[in-house]
Amino acid sequence: MSIRNWPEGERPREKLLARGSAALSDAELLAVLLGSGVRGKDAIALGRELLAGTGSLGALLGRPDRAVRATGLGPAKRARIAAALELARRSLAEQLAERPSLGNPRDSGAFLSARLRHLPYEVFACLYLDNRHRVLAFEELFRGTVDGASVHPREVVRACLHHNACAVIFAHNHPSGVAEPSAADRAITHELRDALKLVGVRVLDHLVIGAGAPVSMAARGLI
């Protein structure tokens, strides 16, 4: 039976309007976003299949192309999912920029997780801050594979000077999902800290993004 023929209180769109988005399951929210199903599947069934095919909502939003081949999801629906993710990212960026200052791992962890957690390759990124720890810019500096990313201190120093940063928060993701800082993570953090100290830029933290909560190297006394 088509969703159009369901009782009004069970249709995802009507349910959202009547009860709010929090009342919908992940599959129902995807159904509203997709707008319609594909041949042989209504929108909710398609949403469930997409979630099952990627393993989680986060994995689907991070890499919607993974599910396209398995489900026959067309470019229009794929574009809607990608647009929804980018809107969420931009909203987080606005919230981050509006805060008077930044320096607590909890303040930056949500934003950095949203940007990096679901990427299948490793990314090293920087949040550039002024002398009051207000956000100047966010930038992905280096990309690698799931085996790691090469981080060049000279390029990091150059980027900090370009943004006129007084402080910086580093972040990188572990595509494996394990957020435990490695020996290499600690080594490059110390190397960057020492290089930036020469130009008057303070390293406030280095967050490792995995499947769970971000791990703050500063909170662990590793900086």
Side-chain angles (χ1 to χ4, degrees), residues 184-193 203 206 217 222-223:
D185 294 339
R186 296 192 293 272
I188 191 61
T189 301
H190 294 161
E191 187 176 352
L192 292 172
R193 178 199 62 192
V203 177
H206 186 165
M217 294 179 65
L222 299 176
I223 294 180

Side-chain angles (χ1 to χ4, degrees), residues 67-178:
V68 173
R69 293 185 294 273
T71 62
L73 192 67
K77 290 181 172 58
R78 178 182 171 188
R80 287 174 189 161
I81 294 174
L85 175 62
E86 185 59 27
L87 284 170
R89 286 173 171 168
R90 293 184 186 187
S91 175
L92 284 170
E94 286 181 355
Q95 293 174 37
L96 190 65
E98 289 170 357
R99 291 179 179 174
S101 64
L102 189 64
N104 189 305
R106 292 173 297 181
D107 294 337
S108 53
F111 170 76
L112 292 167
S113 292
R115 296 300 303 237
L116 304 178
R117 174 176 289 160
H118 309 302
L119 297 176
Y121 46 83
E122 190 163 332
V123 168
F124 182 91
C126 293
L127 272 173
Y128 304 99
L129 311 173
D130 67 11
N131 60 354
R132 296 184 181 179
H133 298 171
R134 294 174 298 192
V135 177
L136 297 171
F138 168 81
E139 189 174 24
E140 293 182 9
L141 281 181
F142 307 106
R143 286 190 179 187
T145 65
V146 294
D147 297 319
S150 298
V151 178
H152 307 288
R154 181 172 60 182
E155 297 302 319
V156 176
V157 171
R158 181 182 300 170
C160 288
L161 294 175
H162 171 75
H163 290 288
N164 198 28
C166 293
V168 68
I169 294 175
F170 300 130
H172 78 281
N173 63 313
H174 282 179
S176 66
V178 180

